[in-house]
Amino acid sequence: AGLGRLCAEVAAAGFEAQGNEFSYFMLLTAAFLLNSTSCQDQWTVHPWVHMTCNNVTNEDQLRAVGVPDVVSSSLVPPGMLSMCAGDFVVRGGHLRIVH
C-alpha cells in the first residue's frame, strides 16, 4: 500500500526507514499489512474486478492475488521501520541528510 512495501524493503536491507504517507487510505492499508499479517497469502483480493479494459479473457478480470506475498515481521528487523502521516514537505523538515 503506497510506500509501505518500499520502506519495508529498505529496512530489510539494513537501513532505518521512515515511510511518509499523505493518503490516510494508503496509511491504514500499509499499517494493516505491516502489523496484522501472520502468514503469506493470508488474504485474497481481486484487484482488477472493476477494470473492464485490457482484458483478454474474463478470467483476467477475475484473477485473484494473495496478499501479503512476504510477511513483514519476517522481513524487517524490530525498530528499523516507522511510518508517519502527512505531507513530506511539512513532515520532512526535521530529517537529517547523511552524505
Side-chain angles (χ1 to χ4, degrees):
L3 294 176
R5 177 61 182 261
L6 175 63
C7 292
E9 294 285 344
V10 170
F15 299 96
E16 289 186 35
Q18 181 180 47
N20 182 310
E21 191 62 68
F22 182 75
S23 166
Y24 285 107
F25 296 113
M26 293 286 192
L27 185 65
L28 288 173
T29 305
F32 180 74
L33 289 174
L34 291 171
N35 299 316
S36 301
T37 55
S38 58
C39 63
Q40 184 177 357
D41 298 329
Q42 189 169 352
W43 296 282
T44 301
V45 296
H46 299 269
W48 301 281
V49 74
H50 294 293
M51 302 294 270
T52 57
C53 60
N54 298 321
N55 294 314
V56 177
T57 66
N58 289 338
E59 288 76 28
D60 292 337
Q61 186 175 0
L62 301 175
R63 186 169 46 139
V65 175
V67 292
D69 61 338
V70 176
V71 179
S72 62
S73 60
S74 67
L75 184 68
V76 179
M80 296 296 284
L81 175 65
S82 64
M83 295 289 287
C84 69
D87 187 7
F88 179 77
V89 175
V90 175
R91 303 284 307 183
H94 69 281
L95 296 178
R96 181 179 57 144
I97 306 300
V98 179
H99 296 280

Coordinates of all heavy atoms in Angstrom, one line a residue:
A1 N 0.8 -1.2 0.0 CA 0.0 0.0 0.0 C 0.9 1.2 0.0 O 1.6 1.4 0.9 CB -0.9 0.0 1.2
G2 N 0.8 2.0 -1.0 CA 1.6 3.2 -1.1 C 3.1 2.9 -0.9 O 3.6 2.1 -1.6
L3 N 3.7 3.5 0.0 CA 5.1 3.4 0.3 C 5.5 2.3 1.3 O 6.6 2.1 1.6 CB 5.7 4.7 0.7 CG 5.7 5.8 -0.3 CD1 6.3 7.1 0.3 CD2 6.5 5.4 -1.5
G4 N 4.5 1.6 1.9 CA 4.7 0.7 2.9 C 5.7 -0.4 2.5 O 6.6 -0.8 3.3
R5 N 5.5 -1.0 1.3 CA 6.4 -2.1 0.9 C 7.8 -1.6 0.6 O 8.8 -2.2 0.9 CB 5.8 -2.8 -0.3 CG 6.6 -3.9 -0.9 CD 6.8 -5.0 0.1 NE 7.7 -6.0 -0.4 CZ 7.2 -7.2 -0.9 NH1 5.9 -7.4 -1.0 NH2 8.1 -8.0 -1.4
L6 N 7.9 -0.4 0.0 CA 9.2 0.2 -0.3 C 10.0 0.4 1.0 O 11.2 0.0 1.0 CB 9.1 1.5 -1.1 CG 10.3 2.2 -1.4 CD1 11.3 1.4 -2.3 CD2 10.0 3.6 -2.0
C7 N 9.4 1.0 2.0 CA 10.1 1.2 3.2 C 10.5 -0.1 3.9 O 11.5 -0.2 4.5 CB 9.2 2.0 4.2 SG 9.0 3.7 3.6
A8 N 9.6 -1.1 3.8 CA 9.9 -2.4 4.4 C 11.1 -3.0 3.7 O 12.0 -3.6 4.4 CB 8.7 -3.4 4.3
E9 N 11.2 -2.9 2.4 CA 12.4 -3.4 1.7 C 13.6 -2.7 2.0 O 14.7 -3.3 2.2 CB 12.1 -3.3 0.2 CG 11.0 -4.2 -0.4 CD 11.4 -5.7 -0.5 OE1 12.6 -6.0 -0.4 OE2 10.4 -6.5 -0.6
V10 N 13.6 -1.4 2.2 CA 14.7 -0.6 2.6 C 15.2 -1.0 4.0 O 16.4 -1.2 4.3 CB 14.4 0.9 2.6 CG1 15.5 1.7 3.2 CG2 14.2 1.4 1.1
A11 N 14.2 -1.2 5.0 CA 14.6 -1.6 6.3 C 15.1 -3.0 6.3 O 16.0 -3.3 7.1 CB 13.3 -1.5 7.2
A12 N 14.6 -3.9 5.5 CA 15.1 -5.2 5.4 C 16.6 -5.3 4.9 O 17.3 -6.2 5.2 CB 14.3 -6.1 4.4
A13 N 17.0 -4.2 4.1 CA 18.3 -4.1 3.6 C 19.3 -3.6 4.7 O 20.5 -3.5 4.4 CB 18.4 -3.2 2.4
G14 N 18.8 -3.3 5.9 CA 19.7 -2.9 7.0 C 19.7 -1.4 7.3 O 20.4 -0.9 8.1
F15 N 18.8 -0.6 6.6 CA 18.7 0.8 6.8 C 17.5 1.1 7.7 O 16.5 0.4 7.7 CB 18.6 1.6 5.5 CG 19.7 1.4 4.6 CD1 19.7 0.4 3.6 CD2 20.9 2.1 4.7 CE1 20.7 0.2 2.7 CE2 21.9 1.9 3.8 CZ 21.8 1.0 2.8
E16 N 17.6 2.2 8.5 CA 16.5 2.7 9.2 C 15.6 3.4 8.2 O 16.1 4.2 7.5 CB 16.9 3.6 10.4 CG 17.5 2.9 11.5 CD 17.7 3.8 12.7 OE1 16.9 4.7 12.9 OE2 18.8 3.6 13.4
A17 N 14.3 3.1 8.2 CA 13.5 3.7 7.2 C 12.2 4.3 7.9 O 11.7 3.7 8.8 CB 13.1 2.7 6.1
Q18 N 11.8 5.5 7.4 CA 10.5 6.0 7.8 C 9.7 6.3 6.6 O 10.1 7.1 5.7 CB 10.7 7.3 8.6 CG 9.4 7.9 9.1 CD 9.6 9.2 9.9 OE1 10.4 10.1 9.4 NE2 9.0 9.3 11.0
G19 N 8.5 5.7 6.5 CA 7.6 6.0 5.5 C 6.7 7.2 5.8 O 6.4 7.4 6.9
N20 N 6.4 7.9 4.8 CA 5.6 9.1 5.0 C 4.5 9.0 4.0 O 4.7 9.0 2.8 CB 6.5 10.4 4.7 CG 5.7 11.6 4.9 OD1 4.6 11.8 4.4 ND2 6.2 12.5 5.6
E21 N 3.3 8.9 4.4 CA 2.1 8.7 3.5 C 1.1 9.8 3.7 O 0.7 10.1 4.8 CB 1.5 7.3 3.9 CG 0.5 6.9 2.8 CD 1.1 6.7 1.5 OE1 1.9 5.8 1.3 OE2 0.7 7.5 0.6
F22 N 0.8 10.5 2.6 CA -0.2 11.6 2.7 C -1.6 11.0 2.7 O -2.5 11.6 3.4 CB 0.0 12.5 1.4 CG -0.9 13.6 1.4 CD1 -0.7 14.7 2.2 CD2 -2.0 13.7 0.6 CE1 -1.6 15.8 2.2 CE2 -2.9 14.7 0.5 CZ -2.7 15.8 1.4
S23 N -1.9 10.0 2.0 CA -3.2 9.4 1.9 C -3.5 8.5 3.1 O -2.8 7.6 3.4 CB -3.4 8.6 0.7 OG -4.5 7.8 0.7
Y24 N -4.6 8.8 3.9 CA -4.9 8.0 5.0 C -5.4 6.6 4.6 O -5.2 5.7 5.4 CB -6.0 8.7 5.9 CG -5.4 9.9 6.7 CD1 -5.7 11.2 6.3 CD2 -4.5 9.6 7.8 CE1 -5.1 12.2 7.1 CE2 -4.0 10.7 8.5 CZ -4.3 11.9 8.1 OH -3.7 13.0 8.8
F25 N -6.0 6.5 3.4 CA -6.3 5.2 3.0 C -5.1 4.3 2.8 O -5.1 3.1 3.1 CB -7.1 5.3 1.6 CG -8.4 6.0 1.8 CD1 -8.7 7.2 1.2 CD2 -9.5 5.4 2.6 CE1 -9.9 7.8 1.3 CE2 -10.7 6.0 2.7 CZ -10.9 7.3 2.1
M26 N -4.1 4.9 2.2 CA -2.8 4.1 2.0 C -2.1 3.9 3.3 O -1.6 2.8 3.5 CB -1.9 4.9 1.1 CG -2.3 5.1 -0.3 SD -2.2 3.5 -1.2 CE -2.4 4.0 -2.9
L27 N -2.2 4.8 4.2 CA -1.5 4.7 5.5 C -2.2 3.6 6.3 O -1.5 2.7 6.9 CB -1.6 6.0 6.3 CG -0.9 6.0 7.6 CD1 0.6 5.8 7.4 CD2 -1.1 7.3 8.4
L28 N -3.5 3.5 6.3 CA -4.3 2.5 7.0 C -4.0 1.1 6.4 O -3.8 0.1 7.2 CB -5.8 2.8 7.0 CG -6.2 3.9 7.9 CD1 -7.7 4.3 7.7 CD2 -5.9 3.6 9.4
T29 N -4.0 1.0 5.1 CA -3.7 -0.2 4.5 C -2.3 -0.7 4.8 O -2.0 -1.9 5.1 CB -3.9 -0.1 2.9 OG1 -5.3 0.4 2.7 CG2 -3.8 -1.4 2.3
A30 N -1.3 0.2 4.7 CA 0.1 -0.2 5.0 C 0.2 -0.6 6.4 O 0.9 -1.6 6.7 CB 1.0 1.0 4.7
A31 N -0.4 0.1 7.3 CA -0.4 -0.3 8.8 C -1.0 -1.7 9.0 O -0.4 -2.5 9.7 CB -1.1 0.8 9.6
F32 N -2.1 -1.9 8.3 CA -2.7 -3.2 8.5 C -1.8 -4.3 7.9 O -1.6 -5.4 8.6 CB -4.1 -3.2 7.7 CG -4.8 -4.5 7.8 CD1 -5.4 -4.9 9.0 CD2 -4.9 -5.3 6.7 CE1 -6.1 -6.1 9.1 CE2 -5.5 -6.5 6.8 CZ -6.1 -6.9 8.0
L33 N -1.3 -4.1 6.7 CA -0.4 -5.2 6.1 C 0.9 -5.4 6.8 O 1.4 -6.5 6.9 CB -0.2 -4.9 4.6 CG -1.4 -5.1 3.7 CD1 -1.1 -4.6 2.3 CD2 -1.9 -6.5 3.7
L34 N 1.5 -4.3 7.3 CA 2.7 -4.4 8.0 C 2.6 -4.9 9.5 O 3.5 -5.6 10.0 CB 3.4 -3.0 8.1 CG 3.9 -2.5 6.7 CD1 4.4 -1.0 6.9 CD2 5.0 -3.3 6.2
N35 N 1.5 -4.7 10.1 CA 1.3 -5.1 11.5 C 0.4 -6.2 11.8 O 0.4 -6.7 12.9 CB 0.9 -3.8 12.3 CG 1.9 -2.7 12.2 OD1 3.1 -2.9 12.3 ND2 1.4 -1.5 12.0
S36 N -0.5 -6.5 10.9 CA -1.6 -7.5 11.2 C -1.5 -8.8 10.4 O -2.5 -9.4 10.2 CB -2.9 -6.8 11.0 OG -3.0 -5.7 11.9
T37 N -0.4 -9.1 9.8 CA -0.3 -10.3 9.0 C 0.5 -11.3 9.7 O 1.5 -11.0 10.4 CB 0.3 -10.0 7.6 OG1 1.6 -9.4 7.8 CG2 -0.6 -9.1 6.8
S38 N 0.1 -12.6 9.6 CA 0.8 -13.7 10.3 C 1.3 -14.7 9.3 O 2.1 -15.5 9.8 CB -0.2 -14.3 11.3 OG -1.3 -14.8 10.7
C39 N 0.8 -14.8 8.1 CA 1.3 -15.8 7.2 C 1.2 -15.2 5.7 O 0.4 -14.3 5.5 CB 0.5 -17.1 7.3 SG -1.2 -17.0 6.9
Q40 N 2.0 -15.8 4.9 CA 2.0 -15.4 3.5 C 0.6 -15.8 2.8 O 0.0 -16.8 3.2 CB 3.1 -16.2 2.7 CG 3.3 -15.8 1.3 CD 4.5 -16.5 0.7 OE1 5.2 -17.2 1.4 NE2 4.7 -16.3 -0.6
D41 N 0.2 -14.9 1.9 CA -1.1 -15.1 1.2 C -2.3 -15.3 2.2 O -3.2 -16.1 1.9 CB -1.0 -16.3 0.2 CG 0.0 -16.1 -0.8 OD1 0.3 -15.0 -1.2 OD2 0.6 -17.1 -1.3
Q42 N -2.3 -14.6 3.2 CA -3.3 -14.7 4.2 C -4.7 -14.2 3.7 O -5.7 -14.8 4.1 CB -2.9 -13.8 5.5 CG -3.8 -14.0 6.7 CD -3.2 -13.4 7.9 OE1 -2.1 -12.9 7.9 NE2 -4.0 -13.3 9.0
W43 N -4.7 -13.3 2.8 CA -6.0 -12.8 2.3 C -5.9 -12.9 0.8 O -4.9 -12.8 0.1 CB -6.3 -11.3 2.7 CG -6.5 -11.2 4.1 CD1 -7.6 -11.5 4.8 CD2 -5.5 -10.7 5.1 NE1 -7.4 -11.3 6.2 CE2 -6.1 -10.8 6.3 CE3 -4.2 -10.3 5.0 CZ2 -5.4 -10.4 7.5 CZ3 -3.5 -9.9 6.1 CH2 -4.1 -10.0 7.4
T44 N -7.1 -13.0 0.2 CA -7.2 -13.0 -1.3 C -8.0 -11.7 -1.7 O -9.0 -11.4 -1.2 CB -8.0 -14.2 -1.8 OG1 -7.3 -15.4 -1.3 CG2 -8.1 -14.3 -3.3
V45 N -7.4 -11.0 -2.7 CA -8.1 -9.8 -3.2 C -8.2 -10.0 -4.7 O -7.5 -10.8 -5.3 CB -7.3 -8.5 -2.9 CG1 -7.3 -8.3 -1.4 CG2 -5.9 -8.6 -3.5
H46 N -9.1 -9.3 -5.3 CA -9.3 -9.3 -6.8 C -9.1 -7.8 -7.3 O -10.1 -7.1 -7.5 CB -10.7 -9.8 -7.1 CG -11.0 -11.2 -6.6 ND1 -10.7 -12.3 -7.4 CD2 -11.4 -11.7 -5.4 CE1 -11.0 -13.4 -6.7 NE2 -11.4 -13.0 -5.5
P47 N -7.9 -7.4 -7.5 CA -7.6 -6.0 -7.8 C -8.1 -5.5 -9.1 O -8.2 -4.3 -9.3 CB -6.1 -5.9 -7.7 CG -5.6 -7.3 -7.9 CD -6.7 -8.2 -7.4
W48 N -8.4 -6.4 -10.1 CA -8.8 -6.0 -11.4 C -10.3 -6.2 -11.7 O -10.8 -6.1 -12.8 CB -8.0 -6.8 -12.5 CG -6.6 -6.5 -12.3 CD1 -5.9 -5.4 -12.7 CD2 -5.6 -7.4 -11.7 NE1 -4.5 -5.5 -12.3 CE2 -4.4 -6.7 -11.7 CE3 -5.7 -8.6 -11.1 CZ2 -3.2 -7.3 -11.2 CZ3 -4.6 -9.2 -10.5 CH2 -3.3 -8.5 -10.6
V49 N -11.1 -6.5 -10.6 CA -12.5 -6.8 -10.8 C -13.3 -5.7 -11.4 O -14.3 -5.9 -12.2 CB -13.1 -7.3 -9.5 CG1 -13.4 -6.2 -8.5 CG2 -14.4 -8.1 -9.8
H50 N -12.9 -4.5 -11.2 CA -13.6 -3.3 -11.7 C -13.0 -2.7 -13.0 O -13.5 -1.7 -13.5 CB -13.7 -2.2 -10.7 CG -14.6 -2.6 -9.5 ND1 -16.0 -2.7 -9.6 CD2 -14.3 -2.8 -8.2 CE1 -16.4 -3.1 -8.4 NE2 -15.4 -3.1 -7.6
M51 N -12.0 -3.4 -13.5 CA -11.3 -2.9 -14.7 C -11.9 -3.7 -15.9 O -11.8 -4.9 -16.0 CB -9.8 -3.2 -14.7 CG -9.1 -2.5 -13.5 SD -9.1 -0.8 -13.6 CE -7.6 -0.5 -14.5
T52 N -12.5 -2.9 -16.8 CA -13.2 -3.6 -17.9 C -12.4 -3.5 -19.2 O -12.8 -4.0 -20.2 CB -14.6 -2.9 -18.1 OG1 -14.4 -1.5 -18.3 CG2 -15.4 -3.1 -16.9
C53 N -11.2 -2.9 -19.2 CA -10.4 -2.8 -20.4 C -9.1 -3.5 -20.3 O -8.7 -3.9 -19.2 CB -10.1 -1.3 -20.8 SG -9.2 -0.4 -19.5
N54 N -8.5 -3.8 -21.4 CA -7.2 -4.6 -21.4 C -7.3 -6.0 -20.9 O -6.3 -6.5 -20.3 CB -6.1 -3.8 -20.8 CG -5.9 -2.4 -21.4 OD1 -5.9 -2.4 -22.7 ND2 -5.6 -1.4 -20.6
N55 N -8.4 -6.6 -20.9 CA -8.6 -8.0 -20.5 C -8.8 -8.9 -21.7 O -9.7 -8.6 -22.6 CB -9.8 -8.1 -19.6 CG -9.7 -7.4 -18.3 OD1 -8.6 -7.5 -17.7 ND2 -10.7 -6.7 -17.9
V56 N -7.9 -9.9 -21.9 CA -8.1 -10.8 -23.0 C -9.2 -11.8 -22.8 O -10.0 -12.0 -23.7 CB -6.8 -11.6 -23.2 CG1 -6.9 -12.6 -24.3 CG2 -5.6 -10.6 -23.5
T57 N -9.4 -12.2 -21.5 CA -10.5 -13.1 -21.2 C -11.1 -12.6 -19.9 O -10.6 -11.8 -19.2 CB -9.9 -14.6 -20.9 OG1 -9.1 -14.5 -19.7 CG2 -9.2 -15.1 -22.1
N58 N -12.3 -13.2 -19.6 CA -13.0 -12.9 -18.3 C -12.1 -13.3 -17.1 O -12.2 -12.6 -16.1 CB -14.3 -13.5 -18.3 CG -15.3 -12.9 -19.2 OD1 -15.2 -11.8 -19.6 ND2 -16.3 -13.7 -19.6
E59 N -11.4 -14.3 -17.3 CA -10.5 -14.8 -16.2 C -9.5 -13.8 -15.8 O -9.1 -13.7 -14.6 CB -9.9 -16.2 -16.5 CG -10.9 -17.3 -16.5 CD -11.7 -17.4 -17.8 OE1 -11.3 -16.9 -18.8 OE2 -12.9 -17.9 -17.6
D60 N -9.0 -13.0 -16.8 CA -8.0 -12.0 -16.4 C -8.6 -10.9 -15.5 O -7.9 -10.5 -14.6 CB -7.6 -11.2 -17.7 CG -6.8 -12.1 -18.6 OD1 -6.2 -13.1 -18.1 OD2 -6.7 -11.8 -19.8
Q61 N -9.9 -10.6 -15.7 CA -10.5 -9.6 -14.8 C -10.8 -10.2 -13.4 O -10.8 -9.4 -12.5 CB -11.8 -9.1 -15.5 CG -12.5 -8.0 -14.8 CD -13.7 -7.5 -15.5 OE1 -14.0 -8.0 -16.6 NE2 -14.3 -6.5 -15.0
L62 N -11.0 -11.4 -13.3 CA -11.4 -12.0 -12.1 C -10.3 -12.7 -11.4 O -10.5 -13.5 -10.4 CB -12.6 -13.1 -12.3 CG -13.8 -12.5 -12.9 CD1 -14.8 -13.6 -13.3 CD2 -14.4 -11.4 -12.0
R63 N -9.0 -12.5 -11.8 CA -7.9 -13.2 -11.3 C -7.7 -12.8 -9.8 O -7.7 -11.6 -9.5 CB -6.7 -12.9 -12.1 CG -5.4 -13.7 -11.6 CD -4.3 -13.6 -12.6 NE -4.1 -12.2 -13.1 CZ -2.9 -11.7 -13.3 NH1 -1.8 -12.4 -13.0 NH2 -2.8 -10.5 -13.7
A64 N -7.4 -13.7 -8.9 CA -7.2 -13.5 -7.5 C -5.7 -13.3 -7.3 O -4.9 -13.9 -7.9 CB -7.7 -14.6 -6.7
V65 N -5.4 -12.5 -6.2 CA -4.0 -12.3 -5.8 C -4.0 -12.5 -4.3 O -4.8 -11.9 -3.6 CB -3.5 -10.9 -6.2 CG1 -2.1 -10.7 -5.6 CG2 -3.5 -10.7 -7.7
G66 N -3.0 -13.3 -3.8 CA -2.8 -13.5 -2.4 C -2.0 -12.4 -1.8 O -0.9 -12.0 -2.4
V67 N -2.4 -11.8 -0.7 CA -1.6 -10.8 0.0 C -1.4 -11.2 1.4 O -2.3 -11.7 2.0 CB -2.2 -9.4 -0.2 CG1 -2.1 -8.9 -1.6 CG2 -3.6 -9.3 0.4
P68 N -0.4 -10.9 2.1 CA 0.9 -10.3 1.5 C 1.7 -11.4 0.9 O 1.6 -12.6 1.3 CB 1.6 -9.7 2.8 CG 1.2 -10.7 3.9 CD -0.3 -11.0 3.5
D69 N 2.6 -11.1 0.0 CA 3.5 -12.1 -0.6 C 4.7 -12.4 0.3 O 5.3 -13.4 0.2 CB 4.0 -11.7 -2.0 CG 4.7 -10.4 -2.0 OD1 4.6 -9.6 -1.1 OD2 5.5 -10.2 -3.0
V70 N 5.0 -11.4 1.2 CA 6.0 -11.6 2.2 C 5.5 -11.0 3.5 O 4.9 -10.0 3.6 CB 7.3 -10.8 1.8 CG1 8.3 -10.9 2.9 CG2 7.9 -11.3 0.5
V71 N 5.7 -11.8 4.6 CA 5.2 -11.3 5.9 C 6.3 -10.3 6.5 O 7.4 -10.7 6.6 CB 5.0 -12.5 6.9 CG1 4.6 -12.0 8.3 CG2 4.0 -13.5 6.4
S72 N 5.8 -9.1 6.8 CA 6.8 -8.1 7.1 C 7.5 -8.4 8.4 O 8.7 -8.0 8.5 CB 6.1 -6.7 7.2 OG 5.1 -6.8 8.3
S73 N 6.9 -9.1 9.3 CA 7.6 -9.4 10.6 C 8.8 -10.3 10.3 O 9.8 -10.3 11.1 CB 6.7 -10.0 11.6 OG 6.2 -11.2 11.1
S74 N 8.8 -11.1 9.3 CA 10.0 -11.9 9.0 C 11.0 -11.1 8.1 O 12.1 -11.6 7.9 CB 9.5 -13.2 8.2 OG 9.0 -12.8 7.0
L75 N 10.6 -10.0 7.5 CA 11.4 -9.2 6.6 C 12.2 -8.1 7.3 O 13.3 -7.9 7.1 CB 10.5 -8.7 5.5 CG 11.2 -7.9 4.4 CD1 12.0 -8.9 3.5 CD2 10.1 -7.3 3.5
V76 N 11.5 -7.4 8.2 CA 12.0 -6.2 8.8 C 12.5 -6.5 10.3 O 11.7 -6.9 11.1 CB 10.9 -5.1 8.8 CG1 11.5 -3.8 9.5 CG2 10.5 -4.8 7.4
P77 N 13.7 -6.1 10.6 CA 14.2 -6.3 12.0 C 13.4 -5.3 12.9 O 13.1 -4.2 12.4 CB 15.7 -5.9 11.9 CG 16.0 -6.0 10.4 CD 14.8 -5.7 9.7
P78 N 13.2 -5.6 14.1 CA 12.5 -4.7 15.0 C 13.2 -3.4 15.2 O 14.4 -3.3 15.3 CB 12.5 -5.5 16.4 CG 12.7 -6.9 16.0 CD 13.5 -6.9 14.7
G79 N 12.4 -2.3 15.1 CA 12.9 -0.9 15.3 C 13.5 -0.3 14.1 O 14.0 0.8 14.2
M80 N 13.5 -0.9 12.9 CA 14.1 -0.4 11.7 C 13.1 0.4 10.8 O 13.5 1.0 9.9 CB 14.8 -1.5 10.9 CG 15.9 -2.2 11.7 SD 17.3 -1.1 12.0 CE 18.0 -1.0 10.4
L81 N 11.8 0.3 11.1 CA 10.8 0.8 10.2 C 9.8 1.6 11.0 O 9.3 1.1 12.1 CB 10.1 -0.3 9.5 CG 8.9 0.1 8.6 CD1 9.4 1.0 7.5 CD2 8.2 -1.1 8.0
S82 N 9.5 2.8 10.6 CA 8.4 3.6 11.2 C 7.6 4.3 10.0 O 8.1 4.4 8.9 CB 8.9 4.6 12.1 OG 9.7 5.6 11.4
M83 N 6.4 4.6 10.3 CA 5.5 5.3 9.4 C 4.9 6.5 10.0 O 4.7 6.5 11.2 CB 4.4 4.3 8.9 CG 4.8 3.1 8.2 SD 5.4 3.4 6.5 CE 3.9 3.8 5.7
C84 N 4.7 7.5 9.2 CA 4.0 8.7 9.7 C 3.1 9.3 8.7 O 3.2 9.0 7.5 CB 5.0 9.8 10.1 SG 5.9 10.6 8.8
A85 N 2.1 10.0 9.1 CA 1.1 10.6 8.3 C 1.4 12.0 8.0 O 1.9 12.7 8.8 CB -0.3 10.4 8.9
G86 N 1.1 12.4 6.8 CA 1.2 13.8 6.4 C 2.0 14.1 5.1 O 2.5 13.1 4.5
D87 N 2.1 15.3 4.8 CA 2.8 15.7 3.6 C 4.3 15.7 3.8 O 4.8 16.2 4.9 CB 2.3 17.1 3.2 CG 2.9 17.6 1.9 OD1 3.5 16.8 1.2 OD2 2.6 18.7 1.5
F88 N 5.1 15.2 2.9 CA 6.5 15.1 3.1 C 7.2 16.4 3.3 O 8.1 16.6 4.1 CB 7.2 14.4 1.9 CG 8.7 14.3 2.0 CD1 9.2 13.3 2.8 CD2 9.5 15.1 1.3 CE1 10.6 13.2 2.9 CE2 10.9 15.0 1.4 CZ 11.4 14.1 2.2
V89 N 6.7 17.5 2.6 CA 7.3 18.8 2.7 C 7.1 19.3 4.1 O 8.0 20.0 4.6 CB 6.7 19.8 1.6 CG1 7.2 21.2 1.8 CG2 7.0 19.2 0.2
V90 N 6.0 19.1 4.7 CA 5.7 19.5 6.0 C 6.4 18.7 7.0 O 7.1 19.2 8.0 CB 4.2 19.5 6.3 CG1 3.9 19.9 7.7 CG2 3.5 20.5 5.3
R91 N 6.3 17.3 6.9 CA 6.9 16.4 7.9 C 8.4 16.3 7.7 O 9.1 15.9 8.6 CB 6.3 15.0 7.8 CG 4.8 15.0 7.9 CD 4.4 15.1 9.3 NE 5.1 14.1 10.1 CZ 4.9 13.9 11.4 NH1 4.1 14.7 12.0 NH2 5.6 13.1 12.1
G92 N 8.9 16.5 6.5 CA 10.4 16.2 6.2 C 11.3 17.3 6.7 O 12.5 17.1 6.5
G93 N 10.8 18.3 7.3 CA 11.7 19.4 7.7 C 12.7 19.0 8.8 O 13.7 19.7 8.9
H94 N 12.4 18.0 9.5 CA 13.3 17.6 10.7 C 14.2 16.5 10.3 O 15.0 16.1 11.1 CB 12.4 17.1 11.8 CG 11.7 15.9 11.6 ND1 10.6 15.8 10.8 CD2 12.0 14.6 11.9 CE1 10.2 14.5 10.7 NE2 11.0 13.8 11.4
L95 N 14.2 16.1 9.1 CA 15.1 14.9 8.7 C 16.5 15.4 8.5 O 16.8 16.5 8.1 CB 14.6 14.3 7.4 CG 13.2 13.7 7.4 CD1 12.9 13.2 6.0 CD2 13.2 12.6 8.4
R96 N 17.4 14.5 8.9 CA 18.9 14.8 8.8 C 19.4 14.1 7.5 O 19.2 12.9 7.4 CB 19.6 14.3 10.0 CG 21.1 14.5 10.0 CD 21.6 14.0 11.2 NE 21.3 12.6 11.3 CZ 22.1 11.6 11.8 NH1 23.2 12.0 12.3 NH2 21.7 10.4 11.9
I97 N 20.0 14.8 6.6 CA 20.5 14.2 5.4 C 22.0 13.8 5.7 O 22.8 14.5 6.2 CB 20.5 15.3 4.3 CG1 19.1 15.8 4.1 CG2 21.0 14.6 3.0 CD1 18.0 14.8 3.8
V98 N 22.2 12.5 5.4 CA 23.6 12.0 5.6 C 24.2 11.7 4.2 O 23.6 11.0 3.4 CB 23.5 10.6 6.4 CG1 24.9 10.0 6.5 CG2 22.8 10.9 7.7
H99 N 25.4 12.2 4.0 CA 26.0 12.0 2.7 C 27.0 10.9 2.7 O 27.7 10.6 3.6 CB 26.8 13.3 2.3 CG 25.9 14.5 2.0 ND1 25.2 14.6 0.9 CD2 25.5 15.5 2.8 CE1 24.5 15.7 0.9 NE2 24.7 16.2 2.1

